[in-house]
Amino acid sequence: MGSRHAGTTVRSRGREVAPSSGSQPSVSPYSESSPSGSPTSGSWPVALPAAPRAVARRRPAALLAALVVGATVALVGTQALPAADARESVAVEELLGSDAEGLLETELSPQLAITEVEARARLEEVAASRQARAERVAQEQAAAAEAAEAAAEAARPKASPPIKGARLTSCFCPRWGTMHWGIDLAAPMLTPEYAVEDGVVLRAGAASGYGLVVYILGVSGDVTVYGHMEKITVAAGDVVSAGDQIALLGSRGQSTGPHLHFEVHSGGVDGKRVDPVAWLRDRGVEL
């Protein structure tokens, strides 16, 4: 490598540089080449193609610039709009902007509207339907309650022993030279006593010889009598069912110990007195 005087090209590091002094004629390519490969006289020298080494030296800078630009584009691309949470509702207008107003407007045709009179008629129909349904439900519930009550009534015993767990101590028979018109059932004091069948209380209170006594007219038409109780738990006029408590066992009146004196008058208070054991047996009650 070296340099030459003015008027000649300066060759440096594999490329030719035009001289800085003097006017610069127009540049034209070599029309002819000398056998040695130098330009002909009188023509302005032009820069020769860069050597491969110079191109290679510029590639790292260009590659770095490309990487920076690519990274910037990628970063900008990732800055998308914040995604709406799946649990949050996003209005369509917000997504579409002001242009969505015309798209979301719905034109109401005459077929989609009714008059106020028609609307009131519909309301009356709905109210009537609901009232009918409520009445039907009430009737069904009442029928179910009646059926349950009827089933319970059918399962209820129609006769009950006058006292439970008692011991028969005296029969319907002559005793001590006179007729004993009932039976005696012994049990501890204050043992509950029960109505033997459905009926109405005729009398309830003190009575000569019985101390305290209860008379009940039953559905059979017969009257049952309970005597010597310690306490009465019903009053005249009360309606009782078989098995309802009417008194507590005692020993009032002409009595030798706690017991229930029980009688049955067939057909009424003044009717014929019958054997209570047989009468109860006829109704499925065994003493």
Side-chain angles (χ1 to χ4, degrees):
M1 295 185 294
S3 61
R4 296 182 181 178
H5 298 285
T8 62
T9 58
V10 179
R11 187 178 302 274
S12 175
R13 300 179 63 90
R15 63 192 179 100
E16 294 180 354
V17 180
S20 59
S21 60
S23 60
Q24 298 179 355
S26 58
V27 180
S28 61
Y30 297 128
S31 58
E32 294 180 359
S33 298
S34 61
S36 60
S38 60
T40 60
S41 60
S43 61
W44 183 259
V46 296
L48 296 177
R53 179 178 301 176
V55 175
R57 291 177 63 86
R58 288 198 299 269
R59 286 179 181 174
L63 179 59
L64 178 60
L67 291 176
V68 172
V69 172
T72 303
V73 172
L75 179 60
V76 173
T78 56
Q79 300 298 319
L81 292 176
D85 193 337
R87 295 170 297 180
E88 299 178 356
S89 60
V90 180
V92 178
E93 293 85 350
E94 296 179 3
L95 297 178
L96 299 181
S98 60
D99 295 337
E101 295 180 359
L103 297 176
L104 298 178
E105 291 180 355
T106 303
E107 295 183 0
L108 295 178
S109 62
Q111 292 78 6
L112 297 181
I114 62 174
T115 65
E116 184 176 350
V117 174
E118 292 174 328
R120 292 184 182 278
R122 295 280 180 87
L123 289 177
E124 292 177 359
E125 292 176 359
V126 171
S129 176
R130 290 176 177 174
Q131 180 64 25
R133 183 167 61 252
E135 292 177 356
R136 183 173 63 255
V137 171
Q139 292 175 357
E140 292 175 354
Q141 292 177 347
E146 291 178 1
E149 184 177 356
E153 177 64 21
R156 185 179 63 83
K158 300 302 183 289
S160 171
I163 190 170
K164 297 177 182 178
R167 179 170 55 90
L168 181 62
T169 57
S170 184
C171 62
F172 179 81
C173 56
R175 187 183 63 176
W176 307 328
T178 184
M179 182 62 182
H180 184 239
W181 296 105
I183 59 175
D184 292 341
L185 299 171
M189 284 287 293
L190 304 180
T191 298
E193 297 178 3
Y194 306 101
V196 295
E197 66 173 343
D198 300 348
V200 177
V201 178
L202 293 177
R203 304 174 187 174
S208 176
Y210 291 117
L212 294 177
V213 68
V214 172
Y215 287 76
I216 296 177
L217 173 63
V219 293
S220 64
D222 301 335
V223 173
T224 51
V225 181
Y226 310 78
H228 304 302
M229 61 274 298
E230 179 65 23
K231 180 180 179 180
I232 296 174
T233 58
V234 292
D238 287 351
V239 177
V240 295
S241 299
D244 287 350
Q245 181 178 317
I246 60 172
L248 297 177
L249 184 140
S251 186
R252 293 176 178 268
Q254 297 177 5
S255 173
T256 59
H259 74 282
L260 165 66
H261 176 80
F262 178 69
E263 297 181 4
V264 177
H265 298 197
S266 178
V269 174
D270 297 328
K272 178 183 178 180
R273 288 176 283 190
V274 297
D275 187 355
V277 174
W279 186 90
L280 289 171
R281 184 182 298 117
D282 291 342
R283 287 158 178 77
V285 178
E286 294 289 343
L287 296 178

